[in-house]
Amino acid sequence: MTKTEFVSSDSIRAAFSAAMSAMYRNEVPAYGTLMSLVAQVNEGVLAEDPGMKQRLAETDTLDRISEERHGAIRLGTAQELSTIRRVFAVMGMHPVGYYDLSTAGVPVHSTAFRPVGDTALKLNPFRIFTSLLRLDLVRDEQLRADAAEVLSKRKIFTDGALELLDKAEKQGGLDRDDASRFVEEVLQTFRWHDKAIVSAEMYRRLHDAHRLVADVVSFRGPHINHLTPRTLDIDEVQRRMPVEGISPKAIVEGPPTRQCPILLRQTSFKALEEAVAFEDGKGGWRSGSHTARFGEIEQRGVALTPKGRALYDRLLNETRERCRPAADGSNAAEYEAALADVFKAFPDDWNAIRKAGLGYFSYSLTPAGEKADRTGMDLETAIANGLVQFDPITYEDFLPVSAAGIFQSNLGDDATQEFVASPNQRMFERDLGASVLDEFAHYAAIMQASIDRCLGDGRLAAAAE
Ligand code: OOG
Ligand code: NI
């Protein structure tokens, strides 16, 4: 009997992300325009910075520079969430982090399904920010019951996807043919449906509760609501979007432009109003519209420690107290100036960030370090003597305030609503059927492992606390 050859989960994820990209460009032409703009800007940056080009070539990421980094979906039920967890696991994507968006007036909580570990991230970094609707935050009891009823009847996965999912779990993998069928079947879950599963009246009631409630409940499935390629110069893409005829959101979310990038900066073009049909109750259709889908770009920097993150959060709050960005962009310049000014308090030098314990770094021996006798030397002395070097660890997760900004700008500018903040990670993990990985613990472990590799031969004494 011949042994079945399974396709790696990394290559299933790569095929899935390529299929999503093709589908989305086809469904949302403005997204194709954004992709070309990103590719042009990235080429321009690389032409001007041969050093960066070489580093990217060395780490084998140059050809994939403008590929998608993430997308997002919004689910309606615990059952959908736990099944999607199993589906993503087949692609090597695991839940990392818990995000409570209720604080920002959005009735969902979320996690990011993503590859974990350097090799998997390098092979294909695609992740899906996945939100679960919180009907418990909707006040109108009748509406809550009606929405739950609609959601309980829909089936967001094809039979083929579910069969192959079972097979993958039983066998511990999928062969080439099954893997490509799996990608095809799973892709169907994320398609756009221009026919709603509710009446215009029901849509209106859901929409009045919150636009996002209408977006989740009214359709047959969780359409992918955006995809996000990586840009090497987010400010430049933001500037050039209007030239290409796409309308950017008012400001870039996250930290300001810096020498040493931290966390995540992102921006998007505003969601498009699209034609949809609602049930008319007589077996026919009534035309209407729905706004949900957009395109986004991201630029990532170093992952911050809890201390660095607390400083980031404090400075961001301080900025927003000085100047709250208006959705129409009227005070965008003022906001950017305030952001740059307030963030002067965040060191903008890798070694300063590292020494202040604000960021996570990966340590390695230099060629001199490999040869030197480092007996009894501590980490800082080894660095000072050029025996150990350090590189920033890239932040691979998301930012709740930025996510809320992205949600808001795509829900319409008047959509800000108050919900009582009520994080409920326990409920989320119960619905997910698993616990989420703690992002800080994860980065800390990567850093510690790199220190241990430098200290491993026992010639270098531990210095990092
Ligand atoms: C998700 C928004 C979060 C991001 O980049 O922060 C997100 C959504 O709109 O469903 O993707
Ligand atoms: Ni996003």
Side-chain angles (χ1 to χ4, degrees):
M1 203 172 73
T2 54
K3 196 167 142 266
T4 319
E5 291 273 348
F6 291 143
V7 177
S8 75
S9 54
D10 294 327
S11 59
I12 303 179
R13 178 173 70 260
F16 174 67
S17 112
M20 278 284 240
S21 178
M23 180 177 85
Y24 203 59
R25 264 176 292 173
N26 186 33
E27 288 184 349
V28 183
Y31 178 66
T33 310
L34 180 67
M35 285 288 277
S36 330
L37 175 58
V38 166
Q40 271 172 41
V41 169
N42 287 354
E43 259 172 48
V45 172
L46 291 172
E48 269 173 33
D49 188 346
M52 179 188 281
K53 188 165 182 175
Q54 193 184 340
R55 278 196 303 282
L56 290 169
E58 277 165 7
T59 48
D60 206 20
T61 47
L62 189 57
D63 332 338
R64 296 190 302 276
I65 198 75
S66 304
E67 274 181 9
E68 280 80 5
R69 299 290 150 146
H70 82 262
I73 54 165
R74 303 153 187 167
L75 301 172
T77 67
Q79 170 72 35
E80 292 173 359
L81 181 66
S82 64
T83 309
I84 211 91
R85 170 181 58 76
R86 294 166 51 211
V87 166
F88 287 150
V90 175
M91 304 181 189
M93 293 155 83
H94 307 285
V96 180
Y98 172 76
Y99 302 88
D100 168 33
L101 276 306
S102 66
T103 42
V106 183
V108 303
H109 47 184
S110 322
T111 191
F113 287 95
R114 70 165 176 91
V116 175
D118 212 31
T119 318
L121 278 164
K122 275 213 183 94
L123 284 168
N124 182 286
F126 193 58
R127 55 213 107 182
I128 296 217
F129 190 89
T130 302
S131 300
L132 177 63
L133 177 64
R134 291 189 61 183
L135 281 178
D136 61 307
L137 297 181
V138 171
R139 262 180 242 118
D140 177 344
E141 214 169 294
Q142 186 58 49
L143 184 64
R144 229 165 40 215
D146 292 347
E149 158 97 13
V150 172
L151 287 171
S152 72
K153 287 194 194 132
R154 74 176 187 178
K155 281 170 69 182
I156 67 169
F157 300 99
T158 65
D159 291 340
L162 294 173
E163 276 161 30
L164 286 163
L165 173 59
D166 281 338
K167 189 169 179 184
E169 287 176 341
K170 281 203 189 89
Q171 296 182 156
L174 293 174
D175 68 20
R176 190 168 302 280
D177 284 353
D178 282 346
S180 70
R181 275 177 49 225
F182 182 68
V183 167
E184 242 339 280
E185 294 285 344
V186 168
L187 191 64
Q188 305 314 313
T189 298
F190 304 100
R191 270 191 196 294
W192 178 248
H193 299 282
D194 61 5
K195 290 195 167 56
I197 52 171
V198 297
S199 67
E201 189 258 326
M202 174 74 171
Y203 178 85
R204 176 56 44 202
R205 285 171 61 212
L206 295 164
H207 195 279
D208 287 349
H210 196 290
R211 278 172 181 247
L212 203 115
V213 178
D215 183 56
V216 176
V217 179
S218 306
F219 299 94
R220 258 170 53 204
H223 39 256
I224 183 87
N225 68 55
H226 68 282
L227 286 178
T228 310
R230 169 187 182 186
T231 172
L232 300 174
D233 187 346
I234 199 166
D235 299 301
E236 181 65 7
V237 180
Q238 174 85 348
R239 255 192 306 278
R240 280 168 57 178
M241 269 197 246
V243 184
E244 301 293 328
I246 44 187
S247 151
K249 72 187 284 303
I251 53 144
V252 174
E253 298 288 344
T257 314
R258 295 163 44 92
Q259 292 299 321
C260 300
I262 54 173
L263 296 172
L264 168 65
R265 300 183 73 210
Q266 53 200 143
T267 184
S268 64
F269 67 75
K270 290 194 182 163
L272 311 166
E273 186 173 322
E274 300 179 84
V276 294
F278 297 104
E279 292 175 347
D280 72 356
K282 297 178 226 132
W285 299 97
R286 192 169 133 192
S287 56
S289 69
H290 180 64
T291 307
R293 300 192 297 170
F294 59 99
E296 187 192 38
I297 48 174
E298 62 165 57
Q299 190 168 9
R300 290 179 180 270
V302 68
L304 299 185
T305 61
K307 185 179 172 197
R309 180 55 182 274
L311 178 58
Y312 169 80
D313 285 341
R314 183 165 71 68
L315 298 178
L316 192 66
N317 280 335
E318 205 175 308
T319 306
R320 294 172 88 92
E321 269 159 31
R322 269 206 217 171
C323 175
R324 184 157 284 273
D328 63 3
S330 52
N331 63 356
E334 191 194 325
Y335 174 78
E336 270 169 31
L339 187 68
D341 189 46
V342 171
F343 269 80
K344 283 186 186 138
F346 202 111
D348 198 6
D349 167 272
W350 290 128
N351 204 30
I353 294 173
R354 188 185 70 81
K355 284 194 139 171
L358 299 172
Y360 291 109
F361 290 84
S362 167
Y363 295 88
S364 56
L365 291 172
T366 62
E370 309 259 9
K371 288 188 219 113
D373 176 10
R374 306 179 304 278
T375 313
M377 205 181 274
D378 66 45
L379 189 62
E380 289 310 315
T381 313
I383 292 169
N385 292 345
L387 306 181
V388 166
Q389 60 195 357
F390 54 87
D391 293 293
I393 297 174
T394 302
Y395 188 59
E396 303 292 355
D397 295 289
F398 293 85
L399 298 170
V401 175
S402 297
I406 299 278
F407 268 112
Q408 292 304 354
S409 72
N410 287 296
L411 291 171
D413 301 338
D414 55 349
T416 318
Q417 288 181 33
E418 294 305 316
F419 288 98
V420 182
S422 57
N424 199 334
Q425 183 165 349
R426 189 175 296 192
M427 182 169 89
F428 185 81
E429 290 181 329
R430 185 202 64 204
D431 290 349
L432 180 68
S435 48
V436 300
L437 190 67
D438 178 307
E439 57 177 79
F440 290 108
H442 179 59
Y443 293 117
I446 296 173
M447 180 164 83
Q448 191 54 51
S450 77
I451 295 173
D452 291 347
R453 278 196 300 275
C454 292
L455 307 182
D457 59 8
R459 285 189 291 161
L460 194 60
E465 75 277 39

